[in-house]
Amino acid sequence: MRSWKLFCARSSGNLRAAMALIRASQYFLPTWKEDPAEAELPSHKLMLRAGMIRKLAAGIYTYLPLARRVLHKIERIIREEMEAIGGMEITMPMIHPAELWAETGRLQDFGPILGRFRDRAGREMVLGPTHEEVITDLARREIRSWRQLPLVFYQIQTKFRDEPRPRGGLVRAREFTMKDAYSFHESKEDLDRFYREIYQAYLNIFRRCGLSVVPVEADPGLMGGSESHEFMLPSPYGEDSFIHCENGDYAANLEGAVSLKDEDPPEPLLPLEEVATPGCYTIEAVAAFLGVPTRKTAKAVFYKTPKGLAFVVIRGDLEVNEAKLARALGTTELRPATEEEIAAIGAVPGYASPIGIRRNGVRVVVDDSIPKARNLVAGANREGFHLRNVNFPRDFQADLVADVAMARDGDRCPRCGGKLRVQRAIELGHIFKLGTKYSEAMGANFLDRAGKSRPLIMGCYGIGVGRLLAAVIEAHHDEAGIIWPENLAPFETVVSVLDPREPSLLNLGEELAFALARAGLEVLLDDRDQSAGEKFHDAKLWGIPVLVVVGPRAARQNQVELERRRDGVKVAAPAQPEAVVEKALELLRAGA
RNA sequence: CGGAGAGUAGCGCAGCCUGGUUAGCGCGCAUGGUUCGGGACCAUGAGGUCGGCGGUUCGAAUCCGCCCUCUCCGACCA
C-alpha cells in the first residue's frame, strides 16, 4: 500500500507533486448551501457560498484560500503581460503624507473618498486610493535625463477608497486590490507609442482571463489628461454604463459619449411672442399645454461651480450631462443650483429664460442642439408665461456653445449615423494619457536631448484585480456554481472519494490524485467524510474543471468516473493511474 | 447625502401588529450509532447581551426615542 507519508517523501519530484495535491479534509473550504441574504450579484453570492471571501465590514473583505489561488493565477497573467511591455514591478506605500496630495490639489478633489488619519506626531496621513503623487515624487527625485526614459513601473496592491456606496461584493469594494502602472516619457509621441502597447496588453490580459471586454473611449475625469480608455465587461449587474454603435465603430463611456443632433428642417424665424402658461413648471407640462413636441422647447438648467453660476440652455427633450458640462466649463466641481441661487440672478424657477437674464457672474452655456433648432418655446422669466419662437443667436447670446447633452439609447452614432445602444457593464480597466498634469504640479522635470528642462510626460493604467476576479465569475457560472476557465481554476481536478472510511477507496483516491499531481495538475483530494451529494455539489460550486469520482459502484468494476464541469460530459476510465491521468488531460485539453 | 428595507444561535428565517411560562423552526455544529453515487437517517447535546443605549410598564425581542450596522434604489464614482 502506498501511504500518504510515502507521497510526502522529500524527493524533489514527489515534493512538487505533494504541493500540488491538497486534501480537502485538511484545507479551509467553508461552503454554504443557501444563498446569503446580503448578496445580490451572482459573483458575490457564489464567492460567499464557495468559501472564497468573507466580509469584515461594508466593502471590506477577507480573501480565503480558494480565492487566493485564483488571484495568484490572475496576477501572474497580469505580471507576464506587464513585463512583456517593459513594466517593472515595485511596491509603493499604502500610507501617504497628506502634504503630497496637497501638492496636486487632489487632497481637496478626492474629498471624503480619501481615508485619512493622523500619526502620533499629529501629521495628517491618507490611505492611498491611487499612486500618481507617490510615483511622481519618486520620479522627481530619480529621473534627471531623457537617457533614463522611457520608464514603466507597476504594482499590485491594496487600495482604499471610502466610496459612498460600496455594493456587489468585490465589484465595488472600498478596500480592493488594484494593478496600477505608471509610465514616463520624453515625448508625447513616445507616450502615444506606449499607450498603444499597454492597450494591447490589457486586451491580452482580459482575453487570457476568458473575458470579452469592450474598450471604450472614456472621460479622464479627476485624473486629468487627454486620451483615456476604459475596458468594459458587458453585464446586467455592471456598476457602470457605456454607449456603443450597433455598427461597432464607436464605443464610449456615458460620461463622455457624443451623439448626433439633428438639425430642424428649415423654417422661417418667427417673431417672439409671449404666451400665458399658468402652472406649467416642467417641460412636459409646457409642451402639452401648448401642443408642441418637447424637442421644440428650450430648457434652462442651473449649476453652481466654484467660479459662479452656470446657466445651461438645452433642447427640452435632452438632458444635461454633468460630466461633459464640467469639462466644457473647465471645472471638476459642479452641482445643481438651489432655488435661492437661481432667484438671486433674477431668474424665475420654472419659467427661467435665457432672454433677459442678469449676465454678471453667470456663464451662459448653450448646448449645440440649440443653434440647430428653430422657433423654440422657452421661459419668459415671468411667472406663468413662456415665449414662443425663441431663436439663437437672434434672441440671446452665449458665453459658450458646447455639446453638454447626455447621449441616449437610440441616438445616432457620431461616426456613421448608426444606432447607439446603452449597455450596462463592469469597468475592469482604465488607461490614461496624463501628460504633464502631475509632473508640472510637482516639479518632476528632466533634461531633454537639447539640454532643456521639461516636465515628464506621463501615463497611468489601472486594473481592478478583485473586480476582475468577480467579473470572471459573472461571465462563467451556472445555477450550480462557478465554471472556471481552466487556466484560472483554483484546482484543475478534484478527486472525490465517496466513502473515505473505506480504506481501499481512500487508497485508490490517493493513488490517483498523486498520479494526477505528478502529471503536473493541481489536485484537490476530496477525502472529507461527507455524503456523496455534498461532494458533488461542492465540486460544482467550486467550479473545478474535472471531477474524478472514486466510488464503490464503479470501483466494483475496477473503474472510476470523470466528469467535466463545463458541459457535464462523463466518461469512465479503468481505475489505474495512467488511464485516469490520460482521461483527465483529455477532458482538460479538448476544446469546448 | 436623498428614498426604501433589514438587524433574533455560524447561515437562512418565524415570533413583534395585539407586552405575560423556559424565545422557536430548518440547515449547520458536537458525540454515539446506522448509512454511503447527486445537499442521508436515528438518538443525545452545545450554542442567544433578541444590534446598542435610554424610556414607558408590575413585566419589553414585542411599545416609544436616540444611536450604530448592513442591504437595495438614486446621487456620487481615478
Side-chain angles (χ1 to χ4, degrees):
Chain A
M1 185 188 92
R2 278 180 162 177
S3 78
W4 176 249
K5 289 192 175 61
L6 195 88
F7 292 161
C8 289
R10 282 199 151 262
S11 72
S12 67
N14 282 0
L15 177 62
R16 200 168 61 239
M19 285 171 64
L21 200 176
I22 298 285
R23 297 184 152 232
S25 64
Q26 285 155 37
Y27 211 59
F28 191 65
L29 297 162
T31 56
W32 290 344
K33 195 186 297 185
E34 293 171 278
D35 274 342
E38 71 183 49
E40 201 76 7
L41 305 202
S43 64
H44 189 192
K45 286 181 186 170
L46 289 171
M47 274 190 277
L48 287 166
R49 286 190 49 206
M52 295 179 72
I53 58 169
R54 289 294 182 259
K55 186 178 69 181
L56 178 64
I60 301 179
Y61 292 88
T62 296
Y63 298 83
L64 301 181
L66 206 61
R68 278 279 17 138
R69 293 182 70 98
V70 180
L71 282 169
H72 279 132
K73 298 188 177 189
I74 292 175
E75 289 168 5
R76 179 174 176 181
I77 290 171
I78 292 174
R79 287 193 169 96
E80 285 174 5
E81 295 291 339
M82 294 309 294
E83 299 282 338
I85 56 171
M88 292 171 275
E89 185 164 4
I90 61 173
T91 301
M92 288 182 268
M94 282 181 53
I95 307 280
H96 313 166
E99 302 154 17
L100 193 61
W101 282 76
E103 286 190 47
T104 55
R106 291 163 107 203
L107 192 59
Q108 280 289 312
D109 294 346
F110 262 87
I113 287 176
L114 272 185
R116 302 167 79 149
F117 67 98
R118 286 179 188 281
D119 68 10
R120 67 162 68 200
R123 278 183 293 259
E124 185 85 37
M125 311 298 274
V126 311
L127 299 173
T130 176
H131 283 71
E132 284 75 19
E133 280 78 1
V134 177
I135 197 78
T136 306
D137 180 68
L138 181 76
R140 71 179 164 188
R141 293 169 193 274
E142 303 294 335
I143 301 177
R144 304 268 85 100
S145 156
W146 67 273
R147 291 176 188 276
Q148 293 168 280
L149 301 174
L151 281 172
V152 181
F153 298 108
Y154 75 96
Q155 62 174 352
I156 295 176
Q157 194 214 30
T158 299
K159 304 270 195 260
F160 183 80
R161 293 182 192 176
D162 199 354
E163 296 281 356
R165 194 184 153 204
R167 66 188 97 172
L170 259 39
V171 168
R172 176 137 152 179
R174 289 194 295 168
E175 186 186 290
F176 57 99
T177 306
M178 175 160 146
K179 187 286 301 176
D180 46 328
Y182 307 88
S183 68
F184 298 92
H185 308 270
E186 59 171 315
S187 68
K188 180 86 176 50
E189 292 67 37
D190 195 54
L191 171 62
D192 291 344
R193 186 217 92 235
F194 182 72
Y195 192 85
R196 285 191 296 274
E197 283 187 23
I198 199 158
Y199 183 103
Q200 185 56 49
Y202 270 41
L203 292 178
N204 296 346
I205 289 166
F206 298 124
R207 179 180 36 77
R208 291 177 66 185
C209 290
L211 299 176
S212 305
V213 302
V214 181
V216 311
E217 295 168 27
D219 177 9
L222 248 190
M223 297 297 296
S226 52
E227 197 171 358
S228 171
H229 285 85
E230 287 173 335
F231 294 81
M232 303 287 237
L233 179 74
S235 158
Y237 296 102
E239 87 299 347
D240 209 339
S241 292
F242 70 94
I243 200 159
H244 68 286
C245 174
E246 286 183 340
N247 299 333
D249 56 357
Y250 180 66
N253 191 293
L254 263 189
E255 287 172 2
V258 175
S259 62
L260 283 187
K261 291 165 196 160
D262 295 326
E263 190 127 1
D264 274 358
E267 57 182 86
L269 302 189
L270 302 173
L272 270 182
E273 176 191 342
E274 194 173 72
V275 288
T277 51
C280 295
Y281 293 98
T282 65
I283 286 292
E284 287 69 33
V286 175
F289 184 80
L290 296 176
V292 299
T294 53
R295 65 166 292 160
K296 294 296 281 182
T297 66
K299 177 159 62 180
V301 193
F302 297 86
Y303 288 92
K304 178 77 177 168
T305 78
K307 291 183 231 160
L309 221 56
F311 179 175
V312 182
V313 185
I314 189 169
R315 218 172 61 198
D317 60 320
L318 300 175
E319 295 296 327
V320 174
N321 179 328
E322 294 185 12
K324 284 162 80 173
L325 176 63
R327 228 178 337 158
L329 289 169
T331 182
T332 51
E333 275 178 80
L334 195 69
R335 62 165 174 79
T338 62
E339 295 236 335
E340 293 73 43
E341 287 163 343
I342 296 171
I345 61 158
V348 181
Y351 291 90
S353 175
I355 299 172
I357 201 83
R358 229 179 278 151
R359 291 284 297 277
N360 47 332
V362 181
R363 296 180 79 193
V364 177
V365 180
V366 168
D367 182 68
D368 61 5
S369 56
I370 295 293
K372 293 177 177 164
R374 308 262 191 288
N375 299 327
L376 298 174
V377 171
N381 227 4
R382 178 147 89 95
E383 176 78 28
F385 290 89
H386 278 78
L387 294 171
R388 279 187 193 276
N389 307 324
V390 171
N391 288 285
F392 177 84
R394 186 191 71 182
D395 303 321
F396 64 100
Q397 281 71 49
D399 295 299
L400 185 66
V401 178
D403 171 24
V404 296
M406 183 74 80
R408 297 167 302 185
D409 193 278
D411 280 359
R412 293 197 301 114
C413 171
R415 302 262 159 88
C416 72
K419 208 166 242 186
L420 293 176
R421 287 291 167 219
V422 171
Q423 170 71 54
R424 280 195 84 79
I426 301 172
E427 178 195 339
L428 294 178
H430 202 159
I431 60 178
F432 302 82
K433 289 182 186 173
L434 295 175
T436 57
K437 169 171 170 167
Y438 297 89
S439 49
E440 261 177 60
M442 296 179 62
N445 302 312
F446 73 107
L447 290 179
D448 69 10
R449 288 165 197 247
K452 190 174 157 240
S453 181
R454 292 185 11 214
L456 287 158
I457 296 172
M458 298 173 56
C460 76
Y461 320 94
I463 289 180
V465 179
R467 186 181 277 185
L468 175 52
L469 171 68
V472 172
I473 296 172
E474 288 295 336
H476 301 284
H477 70 274
D478 62 16
E479 323 71 54
I482 302 166
I483 306 172
W484 292 111
E486 278 143 27
N487 59 330
L488 297 184
F491 298 94
E492 289 159 293
T493 64
V494 49
V495 176
S496 259
V497 180
L498 294 190
D499 185 1
R501 287 191 293 185
E502 168 57 46
S504 66
L505 277 184
L506 183 58
N507 286 340
L508 176 59
E510 286 175 341
E511 190 181 4
L512 298 178
F514 191 62
L516 289 161
R518 282 177 62 113
L521 299 177
E522 290 170 291
V523 185
L524 179 67
L525 176 62
D526 193 350
D527 58 346
R528 297 174 302 168
D529 186 15
Q530 287 176 17
S531 75
E534 284 174 290
K535 294 184 182 190
F536 288 128
H537 279 268
D538 280 347
K540 286 195 170 152
L541 182 56
W542 292 324
I544 299 172
V546 171
L547 167 65
V548 178
V549 183
V550 179
R553 200 175 68 191
R556 253 174 262 125
Q557 271 84 50
N558 225 357
Q559 289 206 320
V560 296
E561 192 172 87
L562 290 86
E563 180 175 344
R564 186 159 62 189
R565 175 69 177 94
R566 193 196 318 145
D567 51 13
V569 161
K570 291 183 191 179
V571 295
Q576 305 295 331
E578 303 74 27
V580 170
V581 167
E582 192 189 318
K583 285 285 181 201
L585 289 173
E586 215 175 284
L587 284 175
L588 277 169
R589 309 281 185 255

